Amino acid sequence: AHSYTKYNTWSEIESWMNSMATSNSDMISKEVIGNTYEGRPMVVLKIGKKSGSTKPAIFMDCGFHAREWISHAFCQWFVNEAVTTYGSDSQITSLLDQMDVFVLPVFNVDGYVFSHTSNRMWRKTRSRNAGTSCLGTDPNRNFNAGWCTIGASTNPCSETYCGTAPESEIESKNLADFIRKNKSIIKAYITIHSYSQLLLFPYSYTYDLAADHDELLEVAKGASSALRSLYGTVYTSGPGAPTIYPAAGGSDDWAYDLGVKYSYTLELRDEGQYGFLLPESQIKPTCRRTSIKMRNCQDPCQLGS
Ligand SMILES: Nc1ncc(C[C@H](C[SeH])C(=O)O)cc1Cl
Ligand SMILES: [Zn+2]
Ligand SMILES: [Zn+2]
Ligand SMILES: [Zn+2]
Ligand SMILES: [Zn+2]
């Protein structure tokens, strides 16, 4: 059965999404934004108090990379946290009264299933590549942001294969289409990865500073210091290139250049002890701690009107 303290299977997550939307129809609506390469649905949950007018929104995705299971767990935890504390927690309540939150709990569904059934360390999508038996593209090198210029490979057998073109992966295209369609209301984009406890923002594809560098850094520092003071977890904030590594084609850089000002990659626990194989026992502390941060850095007044 589904559990918030377990790495759930895709079928458990899929039925959980359906039941969440059904049992919280006042707060959650479900939308399939397209299918994956192997034909599985990419499901977006829209969270927020129904209101007559269209509200500004935050978009959050999890599960870009199949093996980063704490990421998938985080989105499930966040959805539950939001709907169960709405009305009691002042920050979540004011957030959801003023904004909608789009949550895509599993971006790379095919990869997640494969990491459960066949290869726990799988990272990429599961698409076929011409002329080789090597499968998959790194979806976080497949967006139109300095595409394939640095920190990505043109070799289909590489873990950071950039694909044949920007948005060559149907998963990338489905996400990009959704954000382009809703870009007038989406004020923030947050993509959840693991591991290394970092809060990254543009750019990764160049060492040049983003136009909004100072503000992005300030918001990130506010979020990570909130975490440090509350729970002692240290998240390092900074632009991707100098903070983790230079790499092109990432969804955060793409969203930023599209005009989504507050664009972040959150790298969850840990710092390498277990890495991607973070034990299920650590899901609770991670998600509780980090969801506090999500509240703080999503303070509507920080995201501008
Ligand atoms: N724009 C980006 N933002 C964050 C990262 C780091 C993640 C960490 Se798993 C990745 O390597 O895809 C990589 C890129 Cl290309
Ligand atoms: Zn189960
Ligand atoms: Zn499992
Ligand atoms: Zn990742
Ligand atoms: Zn990572």
Side-chain angles (χ1 to χ4, degrees):
H2 181 276
S3 161
Y4 292 109
T5 58
K6 217 175 67 47
Y7 295 123
N8 299 293
T9 63
W10 163 243
S11 60
E12 287 168 335
I13 297 171
E14 192 177 13
S15 48
W16 167 80
M17 291 189 287
N18 290 323
S19 65
M20 286 298 275
T22 313
S23 50
N24 304 276
S25 53
D26 61 324
M27 289 287 286
I28 301 180
S29 57
K30 185 176 88 96
E31 182 183 349
V32 175
I33 66 168
N35 290 328
T36 64
Y37 179 84
E38 292 177 338
R40 297 182 176 94
M42 293 176 69
V43 180
V44 169
L45 297 176
K46 181 181 177 184
I47 310 170
K49 205 70 190 150
K50 297 270 184 297
S51 87
S53 58
T54 308
K55 296 185 283 184
I58 293 164
F59 187 98
M60 175 166 73
D61 61 50
C62 290
F64 247 73
H65 293 132
R67 64 189 176 195
E68 299 170 9
W69 286 6
I70 188 62
S71 164
H72 311 71
F74 177 79
C75 270
Q76 294 164 66
W77 180 278
F78 178 83
V79 172
N80 184 58
E81 183 103 354
V83 298
T84 52
T85 63
Y86 178 85
S88 58
D89 180 282
S90 61
Q91 284 171 316
I92 278 284
T93 305
S94 78
L95 172 71
L96 295 179
D97 283 345
Q98 300 172 67
M99 303 184 87
D100 290 325
V101 184
F102 291 109
V103 181
L104 172 59
V106 185
F107 170 88
N108 176 10
V109 190
D110 301 344
Y112 186 62
V113 170
F114 191 73
S115 72
H116 268 266
T117 58
S118 312
N119 178 351
R120 174 69 181 79
M121 291 304 281
W122 191 257
R123 169 182 168 96
K124 302 192 289 180
T125 62
R126 291 292 299 163
S127 55
R128 289 205 51 68
N129 294 310
T132 171
S133 60
C134 295
L135 289 177
T137 287
D138 183 346
N140 212 31
R141 303 295 182 276
N142 191 234
F143 284 79
N144 202 4
W147 182 75
C148 225
T149 53
I150 187 172
S153 169
T154 55
N155 177 354
C157 298
S158 166
E159 289 285 36
T160 57
Y161 176 48
C162 59
T164 53
E167 297 179 27
S168 60
E169 299 306 291
I170 186 63
E171 294 86 354
S172 309
K173 177 129 180 49
N174 291 337
L175 175 61
D177 283 348
F178 182 84
I179 293 181
R180 279 188 286 259
K181 191 175 71 174
N182 293 287
K183 75 178 208 170
S184 58
I185 61 166
I186 294 176
K187 305 298 177 197
Y189 172 75
I190 304 168
T191 183
I192 312 291
H193 289 252
S194 80
Y195 62 90
S196 52
Q197 297 182 198
L198 301 170
L199 186 48
L200 306 170
F201 51 87
Y203 288 106
S204 293
Y205 72 69
T206 175
Y207 283 96
D208 294 349
L209 295 188
D212 303 294
H213 173 82
D214 294 348
E215 196 176 352
L216 289 171
L217 179 59
E218 197 185 323
V219 170
K221 282 189 166 167
S224 40
S225 67
L227 255 208
R228 192 168 44 255
S229 59
L230 285 174
Y231 295 99
T233 326
V234 179
Y235 282 80
T236 305
S237 305
T243 309
I244 186 165
Y245 31 63
S251 61
D252 54 358
D253 286 354
W254 173 82
Y256 181 77
D257 284 342
L258 183 72
V260 181
K261 183 174 171 182
Y262 300 93
S263 183
Y264 292 93
T265 294
L266 177 58
E267 284 264 352
L268 298 172
R269 284 180 171 229
D270 62 16
E271 295 185 281
Q273 187 190 0
Y274 295 100
F276 304 115
L277 307 179
L278 193 70
E280 289 184 331
S281 59
Q282 289 216 33
I283 294 176
K284 206 169 178 68
T286 304
C287 293
R288 186 215 302 281
R289 290 180 176 147
T290 319
S291 66
I292 298 274
K293 165 178 20 197
M294 303 298 275
R295 280 205 288 268
N296 295 343
C297 72
Q298 285 159 19
D299 182 328
C301 68
Q302 280 184 348
L303 296 181
S305 58

